[in-house]
Amino acid sequence: NSLLPIVVPPDVHADLFALLLSFFVAERVLDPSAVSAGSISTRGGLFLLTLPGWIVAAKMLGLYDRDQDLIQHSTLDEVPRLAQLAVVGTWGFVALAWATGIAIQPLGVVVAFWALLTALLPLLRALVRAEFRRHPEFPQNTVIVGAGSVGQLLGRKLLHHPEYHVNLLGFLDDQPKERREDLEDLVILGSPDELPALVDRLALERVVIAFSNESHEETMDLIRSLSEFPVRIDIVPRLFDVIPPRLTSHTVEGIPLITLAPLKLSPWRRFL
């Protein structure tokens, strides 16, 4: 992303604010006697010490990378993992308080904190993300390798859906197909061999490989040539038109496999 020089992702700020707001609202509403004017409780001090652990846990759950890695991504996709973070983090804090001998009574403070956090984590992330995406430098500079039917179709979709936040610059292809009329000003920028030189010249941040005329070996060489550049690479898979939006992926001795759902409904699905 164009804003990579920012050291702390905006989602971190949103999460920290949600954590602090949830805990101290729950404590002050349900146990105001534990907090004297202008100070925090021992329980609150312990909670402040755990904040780095919350951020590390969120990072381990992959909650700070997907905005930059994925073209299509929304806060709704993160809700299950945010809920998992709220549950595990809350009861981890309870276990830590018990181990250190710090009282957490009444238990209603913990329950209220967990409920508020579950609601505020996705809400504040959505608000911060919406504001952050308005920045003119947020869309990623992108080129598509392959100007055939699939590449041009993908280009049209990216052009007509600004919510993907992609600044599509053009195509790379030695033998492009006849240009579609709905591609606006997109042009052929050169051949795939020129891609490494174009990364710096065009400040590219994402490369989409979509069925170019290159051989398998040439495509692999092209991908390897980008290893020294901080660009993200997307590959349109073969048989993409039969792959559902949600699927199961796994590996067999390093070979990735994509498992499609059965085409025939099971008895249970037919019953539903």
Side-chain angles (χ1 to χ4, degrees):
N1 190 289
S2 298
L3 298 180
L4 281 178
I6 295 179
V7 176
V8 181
D11 290 340
V12 174
H13 295 284
D15 292 346
L16 287 173
F17 187 73
L19 285 161
L20 293 169
L21 183 63
S22 300
F23 186 86
F24 290 109
V25 166
E27 186 177 61
R28 279 158 172 72
V29 170
L30 296 178
D31 192 20
S33 61
V35 183
S36 59
S39 65
I40 61 173
S41 64
T42 305
R43 176 177 53 201
L46 177 65
F47 175 73
L48 291 178
L49 293 176
T50 66
L51 288 179
W54 287 88
I55 301 305
V56 170
K59 176 67 175 178
M60 293 176 64
L61 289 171
L63 289 168
Y64 296 137
D65 304 316
R66 300 176 72 83
D67 273 314
Q68 298 170 359
D69 291 344
L70 303 181
I71 290 179
Q72 184 180 15
H73 175 61
S74 72
T75 306
L76 288 176
D77 299 325
E78 299 171 339
V79 168
R81 279 175 297 171
L82 289 173
Q84 179 184 357
L85 175 67
V87 171
V88 175
T90 299
W91 296 110
F93 172 72
V94 171
L96 178 62
W98 175 80
T100 55
I102 296 177
I104 58 170
Q105 300 297 331
L107 192 60
V109 172
V110 176
V111 175
F113 164 66
W114 164 73
L116 282 171
L117 187 62
T118 302
L120 287 178
L121 278 174
L123 176 61
L124 291 177
R125 274 178 165 250
L127 293 175
V128 169
R129 184 170 283 138
E131 181 63 28
F132 188 63
R133 286 176 174 174
R134 292 193 184 100
H135 196 285
E137 293 186 358
F138 182 80
Q140 294 178 327
N141 292 334
T142 303
V143 296
I144 297 177
V145 178
S149 300
V150 175
Q152 293 193 33
L153 175 63
L154 179 61
R156 184 190 69 82
K157 291 179 179 294
L158 292 176
L159 279 178
H160 290 81
H161 289 275
E163 67 271 17
Y164 292 146
H165 304 285
V166 168
N167 180 26
L168 186 58
L169 303 178
F171 300 92
L172 296 176
D173 204 326
D174 285 325
Q175 300 175 341
K177 194 173 181 179
E178 183 179 355
R179 186 177 180 278
R180 296 173 58 122
E181 296 181 356
D182 52 3
L183 289 179
E184 299 179 4
D185 297 328
L186 291 183
V187 297
I188 304 298
L189 299 171
S191 69
D193 293 338
E194 300 176 65
L195 180 56
L198 290 173
V199 171
D200 287 331
R201 191 187 312 165
L202 300 177
L204 293 181
E205 298 156 288
R206 184 175 293 274
V207 173
V208 182
I209 299 176
F211 298 165
S212 70
N213 293 314
E214 304 287 311
S215 66
H216 172 75
E217 292 76 13
E218 290 172 326
T219 300
M220 291 301 300
D221 289 340
L222 178 66
I223 293 174
R224 293 189 185 103
S225 70
L226 298 175
S227 61
E228 61 185 76
F229 299 101
V231 296
R232 288 162 179 84
I233 302 173
D234 299 300
I235 302 175
V236 179
R238 302 287 177 179
L239 303 176
F240 71 94
D241 46 351
V242 300
I243 297 178
R246 299 190 181 276
L247 46 82
T248 301
S249 62
H250 52 110
T251 62
V252 174
E253 295 297 320
I255 299 177
L257 301 178
I258 295 175
T259 302
L260 305 182
L263 299 179
K264 183 179 179 181
L265 289 177
S266 65
W268 172 245
R269 291 180 181 273
R270 287 201 303 272
F271 171 76
L272 290 179

